[in-house]
Amino acid sequence: MKKAFKRTLRVSKYVIYKETLVDYKEHFWSFLGAFFGIGLIAFLQSHYLLQQENVFLIGSFGASSVLIYGAIQSPLAQPRNLVGGHVISAIVGVTVYQIVPDILWLSAPLAVAFSIILMQYTKTLHPPGGATALIAVTSPGKIADLGYWYVLSPVLSGCIILLLVALFFNNITKNRSYPTSSRWKRLLHKKHKHSLKN
């Protein structure tokens, strides 16, 4: 028992130490990815949407950016989780709002709880998805008026923009590889080789 505890302590110290090491190159690429991902969505919102439709940039995209640009090896940051988690949570949030629109103390916890369960069930757990569901039930006006269009835009379209930027910036150097799935890696590697031949 004592040996196992000491070993666990050693491993924990190593992991904590490794996680706190400063790698300026990694920070640079994380910064650029987040800057361009959120920047592109914000640019589209401020230049191509009318003032009354200005709901393309939602808060949960900021939390997603932390994962998909800053913690790219996390299982919660993978493309399936990013897109699936947000879309499922948006559907849940809008549905709950349609059923219980005026009882915030009931609709907010129902939206978040159901979105967590469905993300777990579909293996698309993405923590910012909970915020996406919450936004659907707590935001008055524009988002509430969107209904199920909220799922397509801003949620799905925003996720696709974030994902495309992540695929570019997270694979720009040899040290970064996103997503972690070997199937995706083979596909990206094959496309990279093909573009080098041309």
Side-chain angles (χ1 to χ4, degrees), residues 91-101 106-108 110-111 114 137 148:
I91 292 169
V92 168
V94 172
T95 304
V96 168
Y97 184 77
Q98 302 285 331
I99 297 168
V100 207
L106 182 60
S107 62
L110 275 175
F114 273 123
V137 296
Y148 285 102

Side-chain angles (χ1 to χ4, degrees), residues 169-188:
F169 281 103
N170 292 342
N171 291 297
I172 214 162
T173 68
K174 289 184 285 186
N175 298 335
R176 292 171 71 88
S177 178
Y178 178 83
T180 57
S181 165
S182 56
R183 186 176 76 227
W184 276 89
K185 283 182 186 178
R186 283 194 302 268
L187 180 67
L188 289 171

Side-chain angles (χ1 to χ4, degrees), residues 68-161:
I68 66 170
Y69 304 118
I72 63 175
Q73 300 301 315
S74 169
L76 305 175
Q78 301 311 302
R80 173 189 174 105
N81 299 69
L82 169 70
V83 177
H86 275 295
V87 169
I88 287 169
S89 298
I91 292 169
V92 168
V94 172
T95 304
V96 168
Y97 184 77
Q98 302 285 331
I99 297 168
V100 207
D102 297 324
I103 310 171
L104 186 62
W105 64 266
L106 182 60
S107 62
L110 275 175
V112 174
F114 273 123
S115 67
I116 291 170
I117 296 302
L118 284 174
M119 286 189 288
Q120 287 175 329
Y121 183 74
T122 58
K123 295 182 173 66
T124 57
L125 194 62
H126 187 65
T132 299
L134 197 57
I135 289 167
V137 296
T138 60
S139 298
K142 300 172 191 174
I143 290 182
D145 293 341
L146 285 173
Y148 285 102
W149 285 108
Y150 170 72
V151 178
L152 297 176
S153 180
V155 175
L156 179 60
S157 53
C159 286
I160 290 170
I161 290 170

Side-chain angles (χ1 to χ4, degrees), residues 23-41:
D23 183 350
Y24 296 106
K25 292 176 187 172
E26 288 297 307
H27 295 204
F28 174 73
W29 293 116
S30 296
F31 172 84
L32 280 183
F35 181 84
F36 280 99
I38 294 295
L40 185 56
I41 295 172

